[in-house]
Amino acid sequence: MAMPFRQNVRLGRYLLKQKLLRREKFPLLVELEPLFACNLKCAGCGKIEQPAALLKKRMPVEQAVAAIEESGAPMVSIAGGEPLMHKEIDEIVRQLLARNKIVFLCTNALLMPKHLHKFKPHRNFSWMVHVDGLKDRHDLSVNKEGGFEGAIDAIKMAKAAGFRVMTNTTFFSNDSPQNVIGVLDYLNDVVEVDNMQISPAYAYQKAPDQEHWLGVTETRELFAKAFANGRRRKWRLNHSPIFLDFLEGKRDLACTAWGIPSYSLLGWQRPCYLLDDGYAATYKELIEETDWDAFGRGKDPRCANCMAHCGYEPTAVIATLGSLKESVRAAVGR
């Protein structure tokens, strides 16, 4: 995984601790959603289809921090909705950093210029800006003209202020290998973001666009062509080599749905960030009362085309840190 070396060491120590404690299921990262409201209506996201009364709610700081503390996860990805619409999001970040959590704040970046002064650069804090392509492709995906320029300007502003900035890009069936190459070259070489995450789109049932989900074969073909000729080695991708092998069809992986659980205004989502089979009140209840063996490709038809990082990157990370060969490979970015 192309995270900073210090964070890799910390994650390795965390995994060793779980092994020594003989814990079979533990979180690597929690997807925290302290609100569902958003200032955009993206084609591939169904979060803002929640009832109006729920869209007005914001998770109290104490509730957000307590949930992360209960889980024991070393990393937190704060999403939504748009987290910068939460009036106390800076306090949630501050309290999680004070508890030595590694925090990624996911945003479409349009509100970053207004709120950047509320945050301070920290070795465990990263902005994670959503960028779905170059100008026309991104603006179409987020359904807003000017969305791309706004995001890029905010990234440059944050980097100039000393923040670590990453990006997250989702690809759909109407993306070509050249789309993938174009946006990753631009973010890597021109904008010079610190790291980039990528993911094939998952079929959200409530998303406005239901026509452009990628199947497994399409995903493998897309990334195999995009990664060809050594291109993937030059990009600062925030993924383990094993997960990237998985995306381009060089190896298959089982889903580790419990590795990246999701906590929102509704509770702990069963079984994962992408499926919605009800909610548990506590992390303990989520882990102990969910039938984890029932999910994954070949088991649940809703998982048939899923190759998203939230299910498969935990599998790849655990495999990487359990193998000296794969650990060395990850360290040198192969």
Side-chain angles (χ1 to χ4, degrees), residues 13-23 26:
R13 290 172 62 186
Y14 172 77
L15 289 176
L16 178 60
K17 179 181 177 181
Q18 307 313 308
K19 187 173 183 179
L20 293 174
L21 293 173
R22 298 185 177 182
R23 287 178 179 155
F26 47 84

Side-chain angles (χ1 to χ4, degrees), residues 3 5 13 33 56 69 91 96 108 145 171 199 216 221 224 228 256 269 285 302 312 317:
M3 294 193 308
F5 178 73
R13 290 172 62 186
E33 297 179 317
K56 295 178 181 177
E69 285 282 74
E91 182 62 17
L96 290 174
N108 58 49
E145 188 174 349
F171 295 102
S199 182
V216 170
E221 290 178 352
T256 303
Q269 187 167 326
E285 181 182 325
R302 296 171 298 175
Y312 294 96
V317 169

Side-chain angles (χ1 to χ4, degrees), residues 69-246:
E69 285 282 74
E70 188 213 349
S71 76
M75 300 188 289
V76 185
S77 179
I78 306 176
E82 169 51 54
L84 292 177
M85 292 176 68
H86 191 303
K87 291 183 178 179
E88 295 184 291
I89 194 64
D90 54 321
E91 182 62 17
I92 293 176
V93 170
R94 190 189 68 76
Q95 291 203 22
L96 290 174
L97 290 174
R99 286 162 173 78
N100 202 30
K101 303 297 182 183
I102 298 169
V103 180
F104 307 95
L105 185 53
C106 303
T107 175
N108 58 49
L110 298 184
L111 296 174
M112 274 177 67
K114 180 180 178 182
H115 295 283
L116 197 63
H117 69 282
K118 298 178 181 177
F119 301 85
K120 294 181 179 178
H122 188 289
R123 65 177 186 171
N124 286 336
F125 175 71
S126 300
W127 292 98
M128 180 75 80
V129 178
H130 187 86
V131 180
D132 267 356
L134 297 178
K135 182 181 183 308
D136 292 344
R137 182 72 187 84
H138 178 81
D139 286 0
L140 178 65
S141 180
V142 302
N143 197 28
K144 182 175 180 60
E145 188 174 349
F148 178 79
E149 285 98 340
I152 299 302
D153 288 347
I155 289 172
K156 292 177 179 176
M157 182 182 297
K159 286 193 64 70
F163 288 95
R164 175 177 170 78
V165 183
M166 302 169 61
T167 53
N168 184 18
T169 303
T170 303
F171 295 102
F172 297 80
S173 65
N174 52 347
D175 281 306
S176 67
Q178 194 56 46
N179 288 138
V180 179
I181 294 167
V183 68
L184 295 183
D185 273 350
Y186 179 75
L187 295 172
N188 193 86
D189 301 337
V190 179
V191 187
E192 297 183 327
V193 299
D194 292 282
N195 281 114
M196 301 174 290
Q197 287 194 175
I198 56 176
S199 182
Y202 177 78
Y204 278 113
Q205 295 179 343
K206 295 181 179 179
D209 182 357
Q210 292 291 323
E211 298 180 5
H212 297 106
W213 309 123
L214 282 160
V216 170
T217 300
E218 291 174 295
T219 296
R220 289 170 175 167
E221 290 178 352
L222 178 68
F223 288 109
K225 291 177 181 176
F227 291 168
N229 301 318
R231 275 186 290 269
R232 100 177 202 193
R233 295 179 184 174
K234 78 166 189 170
W235 292 325
R236 293 182 294 280
L237 295 171
N238 189 53
H239 295 289
S240 63
I242 291 179
F243 179 72
L244 297 174
D245 289 347
F246 169 70

Side-chain angles (χ1 to χ4, degrees), residues 223-282:
F223 288 109
K225 291 177 181 176
F227 291 168
N229 301 318
R231 275 186 290 269
R232 100 177 202 193
R233 295 179 184 174
K234 78 166 189 170
W235 292 325
R236 293 182 294 280
L237 295 171
N238 189 53
H239 295 289
S240 63
I242 291 179
F243 179 72
L244 297 174
D245 289 347
F246 169 70
L247 283 185
E248 61 174 315
K250 291 182 176 178
R251 64 189 297 170
D252 203 3
L253 298 173
C255 174
T256 303
W258 45 261
I260 301 183
S262 174
Y263 182 73
S264 73
L265 290 165
L266 298 172
W268 291 96
Q269 187 167 326
R270 297 184 196 272
C272 70
Y273 180 63
L274 301 173
L275 297 183
D276 190 356
D277 286 355
Y279 295 83
T282 65

